[in-house]
């Protein structure tokens, strides 16, 4: 996802599920009825609180790589926003992966 309207649709929608921890927050919006043929789309939010530009981009690349393996768990047409908390910059990829594995099902269950 790249458009701010898509991010807003996920973050502010009443039908979105949310699950968070000290490392990450996952927002998930289940697809509309007509979106079954559209693939799942994922966006990332890594603010300046995470670190300088190098740290933010490294964190985002690691999250993008980890989410590529997990997209198949999600329904087609779903919109997902993964927000990195400041502690995510110091976490290992294995820790981030475990958090995603724990948070994605919780966000999916919370989505209407």
């Amino acid at each position: 996802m790249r458009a701010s309207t898509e991010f807003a649709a996920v973050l502010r929608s009443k039908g979105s599920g949310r699950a968070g921890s000290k490392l990450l927050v996952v927002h998930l919006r289940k697809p509309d009825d007509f979106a079954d043929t559209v693939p799942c789309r994922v966006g990332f939010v890594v603010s300046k609180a995470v670190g300088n530009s190098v740290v933010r981009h490294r964190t985002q690349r690691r999250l993008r790589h980890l989410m590529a393996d997990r997209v198949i768990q999600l329904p087609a047409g779903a919109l997902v926003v993964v927000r990195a908390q400041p502690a995510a910059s110091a976490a290992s990829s294995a820790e981030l992966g475990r958090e995603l594995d724990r948070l994605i099902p919780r966000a999916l269950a919370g989505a209407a």
Side-chain angles (χ1 to χ4, degrees):
M1 290 188 318
R2 294 178 191 256
S4 63
T5 55
E6 292 176 320
F7 280 86
V10 177
L11 297 175
R12 297 190 178 114
S13 173
K14 290 187 180 190
S16 294
R18 178 187 178 278
S21 70
K22 67 176 185 147
L23 298 177
L24 302 170
V25 179
V26 175
H27 298 267
L28 188 139
R29 181 176 178 200
K30 284 188 178 176
D32 299 327
D33 293 335
F34 63 89
D36 289 339
T37 59
V38 178
C40 174
R41 291 179 293 168
V42 181
F44 301 93
V45 177
V46 185
S47 73
K48 287 185 179 182
V50 173
N52 64 23
S53 177
V54 173
V55 173
R56 290 194 310 268
H57 288 287
R58 181 177 54 227
T59 303
Q60 184 173 353
R61 282 192 309 270
R62 288 169 51 205
L63 289 171
R64 187 181 308 123
H65 176 74
L66 291 167
M67 278 303 295
D69 297 333
R70 290 159 175 84
V71 169
I72 58 171
Q73 301 173 11
L74 302 170
L79 298 176
V80 181
V81 174
V82 178
R83 185 166 42 100
Q85 301 285 48
S89 63
S92 69
S93 291
E95 290 174 315
L96 293 173
R98 281 192 299 272
E99 284 300 303
L100 286 171
D101 289 338
R102 188 174 68 85
L103 296 175
I104 289 172
R106 287 178 46 199
L108 190 56

